[in-house]
């Protein structure tokens, strides 16, 4: 029994890293958030991990039914996600002066509890509207079959997904904070512009995948 749960935990950890490690829009945004300060970036990283764990839990409970439910709306959800990314990119590019002033003030000084809460909500919503995360976990659960999808095995799987995702996202947040603390203001402005420009490109690619 213990060996089976360990195997389930390893599978969950691999699944969590599999969805977290590809450096997509969320990873880029976490790195950008880290340059503003550790606290908001850590909150955003926690939000991403929470949603990953939530989707894993839903996939464990619902399984193939979730894929069928999302199949007809995947295009609309993709457009919504692209719109959110575009808004964030535009706002980021338009507020480079304010971001530079915050960077000059020093990491963490421009972001208090309100900034951490807003970061948690923003990253949670961005991860929540990504249909590929839900489909990813649903496909994995369906492939595992019904034997390890319920009871303690399901709980262990979801916990391992959350832990692995949280570890990776917090590493990204820490990397962004460390880089932000060592960059001069002019270089920070350039990295902000490049980062948000990449987010804009990702939004366009998400809206027109063909």
């Amino acid at each position: 029994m213990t060996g089976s749960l360990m195997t389930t935990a390893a599978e969950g950890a691999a699944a969590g890293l599999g969805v977290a490690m590809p450096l997509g829009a969320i990873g880029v945004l976490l790195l950008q958030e880290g340059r503003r300060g550790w606290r908001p970036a850590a909150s955003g990283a926690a939000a991403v991990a929470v949603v990953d764990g939530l989707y894993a839990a839903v996939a464990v409970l619902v399984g193939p039914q979730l894929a069928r439910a999302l199949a007809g709306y995947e295009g609309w959800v993709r457009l919504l996600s692209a719109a959110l990314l575009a808004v964030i990119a535009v706002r980021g590019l338009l507020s480079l002066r304010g971001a530079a002033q915050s960077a000059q003030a020093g990491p963490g000084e421009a972001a208090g509890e309100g900034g951490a809460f807003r970061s948690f909500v923003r990253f949670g919503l961005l991860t929540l509207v990504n249909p590929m995360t839900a489909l990813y976990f649903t496909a994995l659960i369906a492939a595992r079959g019904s034997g390890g999808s319920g009871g303690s095995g399901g709980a262990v799987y979801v916990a391992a997904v959350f832990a692995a995702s949280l570890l990776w996202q917090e590493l990204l947040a820490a990397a962004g904070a460390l880089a932000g603390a060592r960059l001069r203001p002019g270089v920070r402005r350039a990295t902000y512009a490049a980062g948000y420009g990449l987010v804009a490109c990702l939004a366009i690619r998400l809206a027109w995948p063909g």
Side-chain angles (χ1 to χ4, degrees):
M1 182 66 177
T2 302
S4 177
L5 289 180
M6 290 293 292
T7 300
T8 300
E11 291 177 355
L17 289 176
V19 75
M21 288 184 70
L23 189 60
I26 296 297
V28 172
L29 287 172
L30 275 177
L31 289 170
Q32 293 293 104
E33 197 76 8
R35 293 189 179 101
R36 271 194 281 264
W38 161 249
R39 184 176 297 177
S43 297
V48 175
V50 166
V51 176
D52 284 348
L54 175 64
Y55 270 137
V58 171
V60 166
L61 293 174
V62 179
Q65 293 86 346
L66 181 62
R68 289 195 293 267
L70 289 177
Y73 300 96
E74 184 178 342
W76 288 105
V77 177
R78 185 188 299 115
L79 288 176
L80 176 60
S81 180
L84 284 173
L85 289 176
V87 169
I88 289 174
V90 170
R91 288 188 61 186
L93 291 171
L94 292 178
S95 63
L96 284 177
R97 180 175 300 177
Q101 292 173 351
S102 298
Q104 290 174 348
E109 292 181 17
E113 293 295 339
F117 176 76
R118 286 193 297 270
S119 179
F120 186 91
V121 173
R122 179 160 62 101
F123 278 93
L125 289 175
L126 283 172
T127 311
L128 194 64
V129 299
N130 184 3
M132 299 312 297
T133 303
L135 294 175
Y136 170 83
F137 285 115
T138 300
L140 287 178
I141 293 298
R144 293 178 71 238
S146 60
S149 299
S152 59
V156 169
Y157 184 87
V158 172
V161 166
F162 169 77
S165 177
L166 180 64
L167 174 63
W168 181 257
Q169 310 300 347
E170 293 292 354
L171 285 175
L172 287 180
L178 180 62
R182 296 186 175 185
L183 293 178
R184 292 177 303 204
V187 179
R188 291 180 191 176
R189 285 194 294 270
T191 59
Y192 273 115
Y196 282 115
L198 178 57
V199 172
C201 293
L202 291 170
I204 295 172
R205 183 178 177 182
L206 188 60
W208 288 282

